[in-house]
Amino acid sequence: MRKQNHQTVYPLGPALEFLEQLWELNHALEKLSAQMAREIGVTAQQRLIIRCLGRYPGLAAGSISSLLHVDPVTISAALRRLENKCLVE
């Protein structure tokens, strides 16, 4: 017996299919980030911050926040964790 996929049984339509694909991408990124944290001690988000600082040394937290479209409090907390690990100054 051939197994039907959920799209055949429960078609979502273009808008919801797009949102489903975004969810799948987000899930994959979160999974990769957790793996990076286990293996190298830095999440994907923290790595992105480090790379931004590597490209633009001295970049202020507010500028990183604007650049990455992330709340300033989130960036400040991430920078504090990176400072505690001696990965940024």
Side-chain angles (χ1 to χ4, degrees):
M1 176 184 254
R2 187 170 167 240
K3 183 178 177 182
Q4 293 180 326
N5 70 27
H6 79 281
Q7 290 294 338
T8 304
V9 179
Y10 304 106
L12 298 175
L16 290 177
E17 287 174 12
F18 175 73
L19 291 173
E20 179 186 33
Q21 290 173 350
L22 283 178
W23 181 85
E24 288 175 6
L25 175 61
N26 182 64
H27 180 70
L29 290 171
E30 292 292 333
K31 189 175 176 180
L32 176 63
S33 183
Q35 179 183 351
M36 287 177 67
R38 283 190 309 275
E39 292 178 5
I40 62 174
V42 176
T43 66
Q45 294 85 354
Q46 291 170 336
R47 183 174 179 267
L48 182 56
I49 292 169
I50 292 169
R51 291 185 59 110
C52 287
L53 289 171
R55 175 162 273 197
Y56 303 107
L59 195 63
S63 297
I64 297 170
S65 172
S66 295
L67 181 67
L68 300 179
H69 306 283
V70 178
D71 186 83
V73 174
T74 301
I75 293 296
S76 293
L79 285 169
R80 200 168 26 260
R81 285 189 291 277
L82 291 170
E83 287 175 339
N84 290 340
K85 293 179 180 183
C86 298
L87 296 173
V88 299
E89 291 182 353

